[in-house]
Amino acid sequence: MGPEMPIFFYLAGMRMLVFLMVLASGHLRAQVFENAEEAFQSSTRSQKPILLVFSGSDWCAPCIRFQKTVLSDTGFQHYAADHLILLKADFPQRKKLDQWLIGQNERLAETYNPRGQFPHIVLLRPDRTLLATLTFKDQRPEEFISQLSLYFAE
């Protein structure tokens, strides 16, 4: 055994420690994109579908419930991290958004939510075509995941 062996064990131990810290800190949560181009690029790279959520975050009661009940749920976050790219198109009334974000969300709505329904949830393929329109009727996170799972081959 040479002097480099203890360094090897030290580095291996440090890698394990960093991995455990990431696990414990919840960094395995799904990333929620607001920038559609970044979300579509990530979807293309990963070949994961996009869950696009049209929301009125500060005025739409069902949207707020969906955020609190499903999107914020740890189980859903882990499911989404493995299966989805999350994209939020928000249409708040009180919160001010940057002009580019308002324009982007309006363009997304023209294509995927022309009736202006809230919440409106669509599942998109990486090529931006519609895979499914999903409904939120106060389901528990597990029920919403079951609804989503119908679109994934196991």
Side-chain angles (χ1 to χ4, degrees):
M1 253 203 254
E4 63 278 344
M5 200 58 154
I7 292 172
F8 169 78
F9 287 119
Y10 174 77
L11 292 175
M14 290 304 291
R15 281 190 210 119
M16 180 58 76
L17 181 61
V18 168
F19 174 74
L20 291 174
M21 288 172 62
V22 167
L23 272 179
S25 67
H27 278 79
L28 294 178
R29 295 175 59 89
Q31 180 178 1
V32 179
F33 289 89
E34 288 186 343
N35 183 312
E37 274 312 306
E38 290 177 4
F40 286 117
Q41 288 172 5
S42 181
S43 175
T44 299
R45 276 192 310 274
S46 66
Q47 287 301 296
K48 293 179 184 177
I50 291 179
L51 185 70
L52 171 55
V53 179
F54 290 93
S55 178
S57 65
D58 62 4
W59 60 269
C60 168
C63 301
I64 294 166
R65 279 196 309 275
F66 182 66
Q67 174 65 43
K68 288 182 179 178
T69 305
V70 176
L71 294 179
S72 298
D73 178 75
T74 303
F76 177 80
Q77 283 289 317
H78 286 123
Y79 177 85
D82 288 342
H83 295 89
L84 301 167
I85 302 298
L86 300 177
L87 174 58
K88 187 174 184 181
D90 195 15
F91 291 82
Q93 290 181 351
R94 291 182 296 278
K95 178 183 172 189
K96 299 296 180 210
L97 299 179
D98 291 337
Q99 283 304 115
W100 73 267
L101 188 55
I102 292 170
Q104 169 201 268
N105 291 351
E106 288 173 352
R107 287 187 299 278
L108 287 169
E110 286 172 10
T111 303
Y112 302 109
N113 188 12
R115 292 185 180 159
Q117 299 170 319
F118 293 93
H120 188 66
I121 307 159
V122 294
L123 194 59
L124 305 173
R125 294 179 185 91
D127 67 2
R128 303 179 186 214
T129 59
L130 183 66
L131 178 59
T133 300
L134 304 163
T135 57
F136 174 66
K137 295 187 179 181
D138 291 319
Q139 299 102 311
R140 294 187 326 263
E142 306 79 41
E143 295 167 328
F144 192 78
I145 290 170
S146 291
Q147 183 182 1
L148 272 171
S149 296
L150 297 174
Y151 300 98
F152 297 96
E154 293 297 325

